[in-house]
C-alpha cells in the first residue's frame, strides 16, 4: 500500500490521499482516492473495470472521487468524496479472496473512506467486502444493508427531471412529453416506469439485446430505436443518458433535439465547454451529479441504520435542489453545471470550516 498525494503533484492536485493497494496472491490491484473529508468521511463506490493501463485507472479514480465530493455536498450529506477502482475484468478476475483482500485495505483507512457498489460491483460483492471492513455500504438486506441503490437513483433522476420540466414549461410533470432514454439497465428500467406512470411517452435504446428484450416484454408501448444517434436526433422533449459518461460532447450536442437533458449517467459533459454549448443551444441541463444522487443518499442512510422511507424522503429533495440550481444559473447567467459546482463548493467551505471548532 502506498500513499503519494502531494500538493505539488499535478496528477493528484486537490486530493487529500491516494492509496495503491496490491495483493499478488488474489490478483488485487486497486486504487482508493479520497478527494475531500471536509464534510465527513469520504463515500464513493468501487468500480471494477479492465482499464487498458494503470494510468487510465488512476485518471478515472481521481475524476470520480472529485465528482463524489460535489455529489455528496449537493445531496446535503455530511460526507466527503472518495472513490476506488479495481483494475481487472470482473467477469474473470473477481473472487472472494480478491474482494476480501480489498476490504482489508479499506479497513486500514480507519473510516476515512466508506465504499459501495459501482460499475462491475454488486450487492453480493459488498457483502464479501463487508466481512473484512466496517466501512462498507450497499450491502444486502440480509446483512443489514439497503439492497439495490438503483431504486432511489431512478427516483432522484425523475425528481430532477420534474424540476427541469417546471423550469422549462411551467409544470413539474412529464405528462404528454416524449422522453428519450439511452440505457435500460437497472436505473433506466426504474426510470422508465416512473415516466410512464407520469403520462410521458418513451423512446429508448440500449447496446444490450437482453435489455431490449426486457423492454419488449415488459413495456411494449416503448418505441425502441437502433442507437443513441437515432435517439437524440428523433423528436424528443427530454434526453435521459443513463449509460456511460461523455454522452454530451462536440458531436452529440449540435444534433440533439431535446429541450432538456436529465439522466442518470455520471460525467455526462465530455468537457467543461459543453455546458456553455448546451446553454447557447437553449437546452436545459440538469447536472448529472445532482439528480443521480438518490443512490448515494440510499447507501449513506445505511451507515446509521437503513430506513427506506427516510431515504426516499431525502431523495425527493432532489427536486428542490435542482430547482434552486436552475434558478441560480438563470439569475447569474451561467450554465447549470457551473451553478451546481458553486453551490457545492460553498457548502464544503462553509460547513467544512465548522470542523475547526473543536468539541470535547
Amino acid at each position: 500500500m502506498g500513499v503519494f498525494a502531494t500538493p505539488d503533484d499535478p496528477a493528484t492536485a486537490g486530493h487529500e490521499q491516494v492509496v495503491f493497494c496490491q495483493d499478488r496472491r488474489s490478483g488485487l490491484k486497486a486504487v482508493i482516492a479520497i478527494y475531500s473529508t471536509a464534510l465527513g468521511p469520504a463515500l464513493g463506490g468501487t468500480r471494477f473495470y479492465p482499464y487498458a493501463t494503470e494510468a487510465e485507472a488512476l485518471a478515472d479514480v481521481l475524476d470520480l472521487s472529485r465528482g463524489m465530493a460535489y455529489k455528496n455536498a449537493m445531496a446535503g450529506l455530511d460526507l466527503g468524496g472518495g472513490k476506488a477502482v479495481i483494475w481487472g475484468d470482473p467477469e474473470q478476475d473477481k473472487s472472494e479472496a480478491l474482494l476480501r483482500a480489498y476490504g482489508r485495505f479499506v479497513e486500514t483507512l480507519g473510516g476515512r473512506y466508506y465504499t459501495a457498489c459501482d460499475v462491475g460491483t454488486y450487492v453480493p460483492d459488498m457483502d464479501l467486502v463487508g466481512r473484512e471492513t466496517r466501512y462498507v455500504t450497499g450491502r444486502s438486506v440480509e446483512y443489514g444493508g439497503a439492497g439495490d441503490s438503483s431504486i432511489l437513483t431512478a427516483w432522484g433522476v425523475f425528481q430532477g427531471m420534474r424540476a427541469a420540466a417546471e423550469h422549462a414549461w411551467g409544470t413539474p410533470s412529464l405528462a404528454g412529453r416524449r422522453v428519450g432514454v439511452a440505457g435500460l439497465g437497472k436505473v433506466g428500467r426504474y426510470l422508465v416506469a416512473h415516466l410512464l406512470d407520469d403520462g410521458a411517452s418513451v423512446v429508448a435504446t440500449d447496446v444490450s439485446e437482453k435489455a431490449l428484450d426486457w423492454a419488449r416484454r415488459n413495456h411494449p408501448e416503448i418505441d425502441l430505436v437502433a442507437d443513441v444517434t437515432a435517439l437524440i436526433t428523433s423528436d424528443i422533449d427530454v434526453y435521459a443518458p443513463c449509460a456511460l459518461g461523455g454522452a454530451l460532447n462536440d458531436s452529440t450536442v449540435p444534433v440533439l433535439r431535446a429541450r432538456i437533458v436529465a439522466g442518470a449517467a455520471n460525467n455526462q459533459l465530455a468537457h467543461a465547454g459543453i455546458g456553455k454549448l448546451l446553454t447557447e443551444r437553449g437546452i436545459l441541463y440538469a447536472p448529472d451529479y445532482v439528480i443521480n444522487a438518490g443512490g448515494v443518499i440510499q447507501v449513506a442512510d445505511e451507515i446509521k441504520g437503513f430506513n427506506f422511507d427516510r431515504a426516499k424522503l431525502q431523495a425527493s429533495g432532489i427536486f428542490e435542489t435542482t430547482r434552486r440550481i436552475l434558478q441560480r444559473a438563470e439569475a447569474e447567467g451561467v450554465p447549470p453545471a457551473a451553478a451546481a459546482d458553486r453551490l457545492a463548493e460553498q457548502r464544503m467551505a462553509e460547513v467544512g470550516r465548522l470542523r475547526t471548532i473543536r468539541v470535547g
Side-chain angles (χ1 to χ4, degrees), residues 134-253:
R134 296 161 286 176
Y135 308 113
V136 59
T137 61
R139 294 166 295 177
S140 67
V141 175
E142 292 79 4
Y143 281 83
D148 185 3
S149 64
S150 59
I151 295 172
L152 289 189
T153 301
W155 178 247
V157 171
F158 178 59
Q159 297 308 313
M161 195 181 291
R162 289 179 60 242
E166 179 187 66
H167 193 86
W169 299 308
T171 179
S173 172
L174 282 305
R177 303 294 176 182
R178 187 165 173 82
V179 182
V181 179
L184 294 170
K186 291 187 294 184
V187 176
R189 294 179 185 189
Y190 286 118
L191 178 61
V192 162
H194 294 314
L195 292 169
L196 294 173
D197 287 345
D198 196 38
S201 61
V202 175
V203 55
T205 191
D206 198 292
V207 296
S208 167
E209 191 59 36
K210 288 183 179 180
L212 297 175
D213 286 342
W214 170 87
R216 295 184 187 105
R217 290 194 312 271
N218 293 277
H219 294 291
E221 67 271 39
I222 294 176
D223 292 331
L224 298 176
V225 295
D227 52 32
V228 172
T229 300
L231 181 73
I232 64 175
T233 55
S234 64
D235 187 18
I236 56 175
D237 299 297
V238 181
Y239 174 41
C242 295
L244 297 177
L248 303 170
N249 55 53
D250 292 312
S251 298
T252 58
V253 172

Side-chain angles (χ1 to χ4, degrees), residues 241-296:
C242 295
L244 297 177
L248 303 170
N249 55 53
D250 292 312
S251 298
T252 58
V253 172
V255 297
L256 179 61
R257 297 184 65 183
R259 172 70 176 87
I260 291 172
V261 175
N266 286 309
N267 301 324
Q268 292 172 24
L269 305 182
H271 58 78
I274 294 296
K276 182 180 179 182
L277 180 59
L278 286 166
T279 301
E280 289 173 349
R281 289 211 59 222
I283 299 172
L284 186 64
Y285 172 61
D288 51 43
Y289 71 78
V290 174
I291 70 170
N292 69 14
V296 75

Side-chain angles (χ1 to χ4, degrees), residues 1-2 20-31 86-87 93 95-105:
M1 181 174 70
F20 283 93
C21 315
Q22 182 169 260
D23 177 58
R24 294 184 184 278
R25 292 285 294 274
S26 67
L28 173 71
K29 292 185 290 185
V31 186
I86 297 175
W87 183 14
D93 301 327
S95 67
E96 177 184 353
L98 182 148
L99 291 169
R100 292 182 68 166
Y102 169 67
R104 294 185 72 83
F105 280 108

Side-chain angles (χ1 to χ4, degrees), residues 38-170:
L39 296 176
L43 170 65
T46 297
R47 180 165 295 190
F48 203 135
Y49 191 79
Y51 296 99
T53 64
E54 183 176 301
E56 184 181 322
L58 178 61
D60 200 29
V61 77
L62 294 175
D63 186 46
L64 291 168
S65 58
R66 180 183 183 276
M68 285 306 304
Y70 283 69
K71 177 183 288 191
N72 293 340
M74 286 309 301
L77 300 173
D78 292 329
L79 293 165
K83 202 80 173 186
V85 297
I86 297 175
W87 183 14
D89 185 343
E91 298 297 324
Q92 299 181 23
D93 301 327
K94 189 187 295 183
S95 67
E96 177 184 353
L98 182 148
L99 291 169
R100 292 182 68 166
Y102 169 67
R104 294 185 72 83
F105 280 108
V106 172
E107 182 69 18
T108 65
L109 293 173
R112 280 177 53 76
Y113 169 66
Y114 278 84
T115 195
C117 302
D118 197 75
V119 174
T121 58
Y122 304 91
V123 170
D125 299 330
M126 293 304 108
D127 287 341
L128 286 173
V129 172
R131 293 171 71 171
E132 302 294 339
T133 181
R134 296 161 286 176
Y135 308 113
V136 59
T137 61
R139 294 166 295 177
S140 67
V141 175
E142 292 79 4
Y143 281 83
D148 185 3
S149 64
S150 59
I151 295 172
L152 289 189
T153 301
W155 178 247
V157 171
F158 178 59
Q159 297 308 313
M161 195 181 291
R162 289 179 60 242
E166 179 187 66
H167 193 86
W169 299 308

